[in-house]
Amino acid sequence: MKEKLNVCIVGPFNSGVIALEKLGYSVFEVPHHPDIFCNLQELLKKNKFTPDLVLQVENLGRRTLIQGLEDFDCPTVFWATDPHLNMHWHNSYTKLFDQVLSTQKSIIPSFKAEGLSDVRWLPRFAYDMAAPPVADRKNDIAFVGRLSDQRPGRKWMIDFIKNLAGDRPFPVEQSLSHSDMLALYQDTKIIPNESILGEVNFRLFEGASCGCLLLTQDLGVEQASLFEPGREIDTYADVVELEEKLKLYLGNDSLIQAMGQAAYERVQSEHLPIHRIERILQYAKDITRNRVSGLDAKKWEAIAVASMWESGMLDLPVRDVLSRLASLKQDQHVVVATLRIQAVIGVNSVMEDNLMSLLGGKLYENSFCLNLTCSTVALRLDKWNMAKAFWYRHLKSTDLINKLLPKTPKDLLILWAKELKQRKLIFRGGFPFNSKKHLPHTAIDCLTILYEADPGDSEVLRLIDIMLRSHKELDQARGSFLSSLTLNSLNDWRLIFELAMTNLHSYRLDDGLNKIVLARDIAREQGQEKSFFMALKCRDESGLIYKRLMNN
């Protein structure tokens, strides 16, 4: 690879373009393509630019799909900036690239499980901003982010902080421009941070760019490797710890200044756009050609389009989506994508004919995704024998024939949910599953169908709780299911304890503490107080919940 590359960047990364040009590289930028599909070869030819590297940076506002990637002679790279919300289409579209960069290190195994061989970590970036002295800043706290009924935890966080802050300046903004947001941060001392699914988000880097103290959820080693907790940022595990730390920092300008300045210096040394560009160029040195080509390229592009359309992300005529799929060789992946689109538009007779052909022709008998999809299509069509037939095909492919035989549709959905859990397909972030339109793809999808049919079914509620228990980032959702479950188990202190912890993780201080007390009292009555405190010790790393409980 030559020393100074011609780099084509598709997507919004102006600060990266500036960094490249400062380093002496030639750049062709396509920040916002007007159409969904971008014929990049034609665009480059028109502008007489021959790239040595093509980098697409995911655009969250306006999706762009590059066509003809297989025809580029140079390496191609996709930077997934929100993979935690978009894996349902990233897993197909990224096959068109030689290398994939993920802002979330924790999601790299998911990409590799999809067959991608070159996936690397490239965190989000910060900005080269001025950081005014903390003492000169007007706002003690500020928050910029969308508030909605779909994010109740964020509303609870804001309400909790407002109550604690009292008369201190605490602006909350939902729709500021990027420059206005950064200006607000430059005039703010503390930025509380809350992520959607436990991801390391942009707010962390944006606040640190301005020398603010970031008070953010404890996301573990990935976040800690970027900013050191206790020195450059501070973290909290629950609302009790958040309260204690806010009380520590509010009015303590010298401590805020020291930590905000440390975070700012970390930004300047490691997290500016120039640092990300240098890493991209380093990664590019050893890229090999990994992208799919020929008919496979057309296949995965069409499946990506179908996945995006299914989720409501693309405004395309459904006939265009189905036409793309129909033009392909009909393998298991194409058939599954087609059935999922057909389910959304409700062409029941067509789906039934497809299922009959698959069964009669004994097609793709060993495909888990196809057997799952077809079995759940048959359930929707009220074709019980057919639904079981696809389950039995799955059993045969796993040498479990004559075992796990469902007697009812509920049994069957639970069996599929358990199989999906074994494959670590528990939930899909960012996909708005609607049981009336969509076919299940995850364990929670299967159980959601049963929950909506009978919200009081204790067996289903317990299964949902089991599925979500190891995913702390889903505690807001888990709490609603636990609330229903505890109504039928008023003397189960363990369930009440779990509900208490989900409340405390979701900024519901009073509800959480009241239920902790209740769980302890019930455990004491049942002679299990020692077990209660052992459970609390395992979950209360700071010891602050225990301290509050002892003072109650």
Side-chain angles (χ1 to χ4, degrees), residues 102-122:
S102 171
T103 56
Q104 309 303 314
K105 191 175 186 179
S106 60
I107 292 180
I108 289 177
S110 297
F111 276 117
K112 291 190 173 181
E114 295 291 339
L116 300 174
S117 59
D118 191 354
V119 188
R120 311 191 192 193
W121 184 34
L122 189 71

Side-chain angles (χ1 to χ4, degrees), residues 206-221:
E206 290 160 345
S209 300
C210 301
C212 305
L213 168 60
L214 264 292
L215 193 49
T216 185
Q217 293 159 303
D218 184 355
L219 303 179
V221 294

Side-chain angles (χ1 to χ4, degrees), residues 4 295 340:
K4 295 295 182 181
L295 295 178
R340 291 189 178 280

Side-chain angles (χ1 to χ4, degrees), residues 16 22 38 43 74 77 101 105 119 153 194 245 252 263 358 405 417 428 460 504 515 526 535:
K22 283 184 178 179
C38 173
L43 195 58
C74 65
V77 180
L101 310 176
K105 191 175 186 179
V119 188
E194 183 260 359
K245 292 192 173 180
N252 194 337
L358 290 164
L405 305 182
R428 278 192 292 183
V460 172
L504 294 176
K515 286 182 172 59
Q526 296 174 355

Side-chain angles (χ1 to χ4, degrees), residues 153 155-161 163-164 236-247 499-517 540 544-549 552:
K155 285 187 172 183
W156 294 331
M157 180 188 77
I158 296 300
D159 291 342
F160 170 77
I161 296 175
N163 184 60
L164 185 64
Y236 60 90
D238 50 60
V239 68
V240 179
E241 193 170 9
L242 175 61
E243 181 182 53
E244 289 290 318
K245 292 192 173 180
L246 278 171
K247 287 178 178 178
L499 179 57
M501 295 305 296
T502 62
N503 284 339
L504 294 176
H505 292 154
S506 304
Y507 309 98
R508 303 180 71 182
L509 180 63
D510 291 340
D511 284 349
L513 291 177
N514 288 339
K515 286 182 172 59
I516 281 285
V517 171
D540 178 26
L544 292 171
I545 300 173
Y546 175 83
K547 182 179 178 181
R548 293 289 288 269
L549 179 61
N552 194 301

